[in-house]
Amino acid sequence: MSIDLRSDTVTLPTAAMREAMYRAEVGDDVYGEDPSINRLQEMAAAITGKEAALFVPSGTMGNAIAQLTHAARGQAIIVGSESHIYHYEAGAASTLGGSPLVAVPNNPDGSIDLDRLRDAIADESDEHVAATALICLENTHNRCGGTVLSADYLAAVAALAHEHGLAVHVDGARIFNAAIALGIPVSTLVAPVDSLMFCLSKGLSAPVGSMLVGTHEFIRRARRVRKLLGGGMRQAGILAAAGIVALEQMVERLAEDHENCKRLAQGLADFPQIEIDPTHVVTNILIFYLLNRQQRRLSEAEIAPFLSKAQEHGVLIGSMGEGKIRAVTHYGIEADHIPLALAGIRRALLDMQL
Ligand SMILES: Cc1ncc(COP(=O)(O)O)c(C=O)c1O
């Protein structure tokens, strides 16, 4: 048996989800007539404290819809240089919406300095530049190692954005991990921002689907964009039924994933060939580097054999580019898997003769 730490997207639906899917009441959601989807949307709006919600097939589509809804063709969108939107979503807003993405450096904790954000905001007074419409933040921050942006930080960015007439969208694929780590309700955390996307299909373990939330007017316009992108599904209440179970039953247990991730990080820190700061690990994602005997970080090409060796020893982990190795804990990874994962990694390190 392998211990799969590549991503929390590998989670499988629970028995309760499968049962709920089997029994789901459904209708045509493009007509707004799917009772399961309507219920999930009401739940998502209530939990996040926003007026309305929209069920979408994926986090990528949710982020794309948000960007296309907030920013008109030719208006710029500010994103973090390490953000998922910038790295892994095929440049959707530029490709589909004609919006340039302006990447501003992320700090190691996933934040972006307010001064840098302020400097990156452009208005129409200068005919040379695309005027900014939107700032996107990511919480938790994937490529920064599952780091959490605080409620105060979100409020500060929203204040800056609103002062300039801009909107703020949060890619909250893992917003419940952030809220649990902070010990506050999601609704408090996202209160100052204009829209939020969160995934049901990651740590919450639903098989498919994400939610986009915001004002009634934003969601009305977002529905049109969802249709445009081909994301209007029909009897998708089958999927929403699993999402309802995810929100009802799978949120609180994310704390276990955080504990397991912390323990994994502490174990990894004991290996001299591994560079990791366990104090940086606050949710379910950790990132580490391999070191050679001269304490130089191994490159992307050099870590490839380690990943294969780890797999041979029953541990699946992934690379994030630039020699970064990512491990993610999730539903299905139990506390007693952590020493087994560490043992597999120890064997892989021995094989590498680092
Ligand atoms: C931070 C973040 N945002 C968005 C997404 C996209 O979600 P999906 O895979 O559902 O398109 C991911 C997926 O891993 C993610 O990690």
Side-chain angles (χ1 to χ4, degrees), residues 58-60 63 84 89 138 142 171 173-174 197 199 201-202:
S58 68
T60 301
N63 282 335
H84 196 276
E89 299 185 10
E138 185 173 316
N142 182 8
D171 171 354
R174 300 181 181 83
M197 181 285 292
C199 294
S201 58
K202 298 200 163 60

